[in-house]
Amino acid sequence: MNDDILTRLGATLESRKGASADSSYVAGLYSRGVDVMARKVGEEAVETILAAKDGDRAGLIREIADLWFHSLVLLASQGGGVQDILTELARREGISGHVEKAARIGVGAGAE
């Protein structure tokens, strides 16, 4: 499998911005707005947690894929993209999670 799948997915999500809502699932999400997209991310997060608690490895993989997908749709709707996430992960590489979180809280982000 090629590591470029996220880049291709990002390009597809971007291309759906101009599509008709009834021609594409993603275009339909975009047309329904940020509340619907954010709610979908929340639903996928809950399903991810449930699959993990059930010890369902295959289900967990599917749910995380859904969570990533819907998170990227939400990000794209806000003008972001896959490269933004990859850049942020690269920035964090080699930094203790405790240190990184303290730095975010120090600048007012406070997100988990």
Side-chain angles (χ1 to χ4, degrees):
M1 177 159 264
N2 193 329
D3 291 346
D4 292 335
I5 185 67
L6 289 175
T7 301
R8 291 194 310 274
L9 175 58
T12 298
L13 296 179
E14 193 63 31
S15 75
R16 297 300 192 261
K17 287 184 177 179
S20 168
D22 50 346
S23 70
S24 158
Y25 174 73
V26 172
L29 287 173
Y30 288 150
S31 73
R32 294 172 67 198
V34 69
D35 288 346
V36 169
M37 289 180 279
R39 191 169 36 251
K40 190 64 181 168
V41 170
E43 289 171 11
E44 297 302 342
V46 169
E47 291 171 3
T48 297
I49 292 165
L50 294 174
K53 290 179 64 93
D54 288 345
D56 179 2
R57 184 177 182 278
L60 180 61
I61 290 168
R62 287 190 303 271
E63 295 304 339
I64 289 175
D66 288 347
L67 179 58
W68 284 19
F69 176 84
H70 287 91
S71 295
L72 289 172
V73 169
L74 179 60
L75 179 61
S77 79
Q78 301 293 301
V82 169
Q83 192 55 53
D84 296 315
I85 302 302
L86 296 175
T87 299
E88 178 62 13
L89 289 172
R91 183 191 69 77
R92 293 180 185 192
E93 187 174 19
I95 299 172
S96 159
H98 294 298
V99 171
E100 196 283 326
K101 183 175 180 180
R104 282 188 284 137
I105 292 171
V107 296
E112 289 294 320

